[in-house]
Amino acid sequence: EIVLTQSPGTLSLSPGERATLSCRASQSVSSGYLAWYQQKPGQAPRLLIFGASSRATGIPDRFSGSGSGTDFTLTIGRLEPEDVAVYYCEQYGSAPFNFGPGTRVDIK
Amino acid sequence: EVQLVESGGGLVQPGGSLRLSCSASGFTFSTYSVNWVRQAPGKGLEWVSFIGADPYTIYYADSVQGRFAISRDNAKNSVYLQMNSLRAQDTAVYFCAREYCGRDCHAMDVWGQGTTVTVSS
C-alpha cells in the first residue's frame, strides 16, 4: 500500500503570494496517477489536477501541478481569498488508492 | 447537468447494515468508473471502494474489505455500497465520485453532495 504524506500541515500566506504544497509517496506512483483536490468547509472535494500536472476542466491557471515518482507539488501562483481550503493529494495508480492527510491553506 | 446524488444514509446500530445508492444523470454512466470516499467528522478524506466501467474491476480499502460490497446497475445509472457489520469507526459522510478511465485515468472529477452514516447505539 502506498502511503502519502503532505507538508506543511498548515500554510498561512497573504493574498497574491505563491503557495507551494508538497505530497510525498512511500513508493513510486504508478503511471503518474496523482491528483490534487480542494475542499472547502461543508462542500464536496473539487478536482484540481490529475495525472500529476493536468488541470481539470474549469480550474484557473494559477493552479499547477508537477512532479513524478514519489515527489509531487501543487503550486497556487497568486493566492486569492477564495483559495482558503484544505488540499488533498490522492494516488489512484495502485489499489488500494488513498489520500494524503491534507494541507490547510489560510489567508493572513 | 452532470450530477451524482447519494442516498441511503442514516443512523444504524453497531453490527447493523445499510445500503447506499449513488444515482447518476447528465452523462453516459456506463463509460465511467465510480469511487466511494468517506470523511469522518472533522477528519480527512478516506478512499473506500472502486468499481470500474466494466463491473468486474473492484477494489476495497483494507478497513472495509469483507464487510462492504460495491455493485452497479447501468440500466438504472446507479452504483450501490452494501455496508455490513458496521462499526462506530464507519461513521462518516459518504461521497460517490465518477472517474473516467480511457487510455488514461482522469481521477474523480464529479462528486455527489454526500450522505451521512452514523453508527451508534
Side-chain angles (χ1 to χ4, degrees):
Chain A
E1 176 178 343
I2 296 177
V3 176
L4 301 178
T5 56
Q6 292 187 241
S7 60
T10 302
L11 196 54
S12 187
L13 297 168
S14 299
E17 287 194 297
R18 181 186 192 90
T20 302
L21 287 67
S22 174
C23 176
R24 179 162 291 178
S26 59
Q27 306 168 41
S28 184
V29 175
S30 175
S31 303
Y33 283 169
L34 192 287
W36 290 93
Y37 300 88
Q38 176 194 67
Q39 188 180 34
K40 298 180 179 180
Q43 296 185 15
R46 177 173 74 145
L47 176 66
L48 300 175
I49 301 289
F50 65 94
S53 60
S54 297
R55 253 188 313 275
T57 302
I59 300 303
D61 60 8
R62 68 177 182 276
F63 291 93
S64 62
S66 63
S68 63
T70 60
D71 290 298
F72 300 88
T73 300
L74 174 70
T75 301
I76 308 174
R78 291 178 59 84
L79 200 63
E80 297 193 4
E82 62 262 32
D83 298 333
V84 170
V86 180
Y87 293 81
Y88 297 93
C89 58
E90 181 224 2
Q91 72 82 18
Y92 57 102
S94 305
F97 311 137
N98 38 37
F99 293 89
T103 291
R104 182 179 303 276
V105 174
D106 291 328
I107 294 285
K108 282 182 183 176
Chain B
E1 180 190 3
V2 173
Q3 198 173 9
L4 295 171
V5 178
E6 303 93 337
S7 60
L11 174 63
V12 61
Q13 292 188 338
S17 298
L18 273 179
R19 187 196 196 206
L20 304 185
S21 299
C22 173
S23 178
S25 59
F27 63 99
T28 306
F29 176 73
S30 61
T31 63
Y32 283 81
S33 305
V34 176
N35 292 267
W36 286 97
V37 174
R38 68 185 181 183
Q39 187 167 36
K43 302 297 185 183
L45 301 173
E46 180 186 13
W47 174 80
V48 173
S49 185
F50 167 98
I51 187 165
D54 78 77
Y56 311 109
T57 302
I58 288 175
Y59 305 119
Y60 298 101
D62 291 347
S63 58
V64 306
Q65 180 79 47
R67 300 187 299 122
F68 289 13
I70 192 171
S71 61
R72 67 187 297 156
D73 184 341
N74 288 342
K76 295 184 177 180
N77 285 355
S78 293
V79 167
Y80 307 100
L81 187 68
Q82 178 66 43
M83 306 187 296
N84 300 325
S85 303
L86 283 162
R87 307 166 180 167
Q89 309 93 292
D90 297 316
T91 294
V93 175
Y94 284 73
F95 298 98
C96 64
R98 78 173 193 181
E99 177 177 353
Y100 181 73
C101 288
R103 189 181 65 176
D104 297 307
C105 288
H106 290 189
M108 292 178 268
D109 69 333
V110 174
W111 294 63
Q113 83 291 347
T115 187
T116 299
V117 172
T118 303
V119 184
S120 174
S121 54

